[in-house]
Amino acid sequence: DVGEGSGIGMAVVHGIVERHGGLIEATSMLGQGATITTYLPIHDGDVENVVQEETSLPKGKESILLVDDEVSIANIGKRLLGSLGYSIESVTSPLEVLEKVRKDPNSFDLIISDMAMPVMTGDQLIKELLEIRPELPTIICTGYSARISREDALEFGVRELIMKPFNKKELATVVRRVLDESED
């Protein structure tokens, strides 16, 4: 229904298609529905099968709070980070994150937030978190690059911006770098 849902599905698709040099065309006719057409460039050559070396991924033991209003994404993030040794808590409400950090500002070594959430966006959440604990390392995730730029995110205190969908290697590398830089 109109006004229902977060719209993140199309934002993630747009991000994937854009990163692969494609484009999306959408047409809609009242009472007849919509047609979404996705164009991707043709790939010439062999397809390379890439297998990630699990042992080569950076790992850690720190405590991370992950917030994403989509339960499935929060669960995937929790599994990925948990498999790297981190102590992970995932929640779906930015207000719950604020409550946890207000109660114990030092309970988490890192907070990872989705950008597009109802009630409060990721940038609003992080700005409030940094008022509580200014040195708190934060990462923001988005599926739609036009929503926030890396420069904008860094300007208000985010340590890193990750585009969705992210893979395990990218997530492991960014999380480890942010945590290591916060120790300096």
Side-chain angles (χ1 to χ4, degrees):
D1 289 342
V2 174
E4 296 292 316
S6 65
I8 190 66
M10 280 304 293
V12 170
V13 169
H14 180 266
I16 294 168
V17 171
E18 189 176 71
R19 270 188 271 158
H20 287 88
L23 63 96
I24 298 174
E25 183 179 87
T27 57
S28 179
M29 303 242 337
L30 188 60
Q32 293 182 11
T35 301
I36 310 294
T37 307
T38 305
Y39 298 95
L40 294 170
I42 294 174
H43 174 75
D44 262 346
D46 295 332
V47 177
E48 190 177 315
N49 188 9
V50 178
V51 178
Q52 291 182 354
E53 280 291 320
E54 189 73 27
T55 56
S56 67
L57 296 178
K59 299 180 180 195
K61 299 289 183 203
E62 291 89 347
S63 177
I64 300 173
L65 178 59
L66 172 69
V67 59
D68 196 304
D69 63 307
E70 303 251 352
V71 175
S72 59
I73 294 174
N75 288 338
I76 289 169
K78 183 176 182 175
R79 264 197 329 270
L80 286 176
L81 291 165
S83 71
L84 295 169
Y86 296 103
S87 172
I88 304 296
E89 185 173 343
S90 66
V91 297
T92 56
S93 165
L95 299 177
E96 187 177 344
V97 173
L98 281 174
E99 183 181 316
K100 288 177 180 292
V101 173
R102 282 187 183 119
K103 187 186 243 182
D104 185 1
N106 296 309
S107 57
F108 299 101
D109 298 305
L110 172 68
I111 296 188
I112 302 173
S113 176
D114 183 27
M115 179 62 188
M117 298 182 288
V119 180
M120 178 181 287
T121 60
D123 58 333
Q124 292 170 329
L125 171 64
I126 289 174
K127 286 174 187 173
E128 289 201 34
L129 290 170
L130 294 175
E131 286 181 20
I132 298 166
R133 185 176 154 202
E135 77 286 355
L136 178 64
T138 57
I139 296 172
I140 200 159
C141 304
T142 185
Y144 187 53
S145 60
R147 202 172 294 251
I148 186 171
S149 72
R150 185 173 189 280
E151 293 73 28
D152 291 340
L154 295 173
E155 190 173 301
F156 68 78
V158 169
R159 304 285 175 92
E160 194 59 69
L161 177 122
I162 300 176
M163 293 301 296
K164 289 180 179 177
F166 44 78
N167 62 46
K168 189 173 185 177
K169 181 179 181 181
E170 177 186 22
L171 186 62
T173 302
V174 170
V175 165
R176 187 71 260 151
R177 183 176 63 242
V178 168
L179 287 167
D180 289 345
E181 287 172 358
S182 70
E183 292 175 2
D184 296 342

